[in-house]
Each structure stands twice: as structure tokens, then as C-alpha cells.
Amino acid sequence: MEMTYQVIALAILFSSMVTGFIIFRMQGMRLALHFGALVLALIVTLAAVVTLMPAIVLAAAILQVIAALTAYTRLWQTLKDSFQTAPGYSAHLALVTMLPVFALAGLLL
């Protein structure tokens, strides 16, 4: 397993926390599930980078994918109904969309 991708995913998760906080302020508690998944993925990814244990790296990759999925499932109604405000979510969605790519790359390479 290549830890470079996990370190990049960790940086993306930190950045997602900042952009996610802004969205969380706009949407409120509707994003609590996604915020929880994001925080959990951040903690487990940090543990994976520190310990280098394959089981924790696998758990981090799975949680990174779940964090990306929850972003889209939680924001789908807003993106569908309020297309005018969609650009406000683009930075966060762009960041979390990269997570599954780096998770898969970290596991395969």
C-alpha cells in the first residue's frame, strides 16, 4: 500500500473540513451525517498514516468513500431544487469527490 495517497487524502479531508463548515452553516443539521462521516474518515486516515497498519488503511479508504457518498446523498435535494446556490457547494463537492480516487489508488498501488 502506498501511503502517499493516504497523506494526500488526509490533506483533502482537512481542506474539506473548512469548506464543509461553510456548507454546514448554510444547510444546518441536514448535513450532520456527512459531517460525522467526514470527521470519522479524518480520524481513521490520520491513524492509518501514523500506524501504517493495513487494516486501518483499509478502514480509512472505506470511510473516505462513505464520506464522499454522504456528501452527494445529503446535498442531492439542494442541488436538484436550488440550482442557483449550487456553486456555493462546488468547492466541497470537488474535494470530497477526489477522496474515493485516492482511496482506491492507495489500496491498489
Side-chain angles (χ1 to χ4, degrees):
M1 289 181 216
E2 178 62 43
M3 290 311 294
T4 304
Y5 296 108
Q6 289 299 322
V7 172
I8 294 170
L10 185 63
I12 290 170
L13 284 165
F14 274 121
S15 299
S16 295
M17 295 298 287
V18 175
T19 59
F21 179 73
I22 295 165
I23 292 173
F24 191 71
R25 294 287 305 207
M26 293 186 329
Q27 289 291 314
M29 291 306 292
R30 288 179 34 192
L31 293 178
L33 178 67
H34 172 59
F35 184 70
L38 200 59
V39 169
L40 192 57
L42 176 74
I43 292 168
V44 176
T45 303
L46 183 60
V49 169
V50 171
T51 64
L52 303 175
M53 293 177 57
I56 297 177
V57 172
L58 179 62
I62 291 169
L63 287 170
Q64 290 164 14
V65 171
I66 289 171
L69 289 175
T70 58
Y72 282 97
T73 58
R74 298 283 79 195
L75 287 173
W76 176 251
Q77 195 66 33
T78 301
L79 294 173
K80 189 175 84 172
D81 294 339
S82 303
F83 192 70
Q84 294 82 7
T85 61
Y89 310 112
S90 62
H92 186 69
L93 289 175
L95 284 169
V96 296
T97 302
M98 288 189 279
L99 287 173
V101 175
F102 284 114
L104 184 61
L107 292 177
L108 294 178
L109 300 177

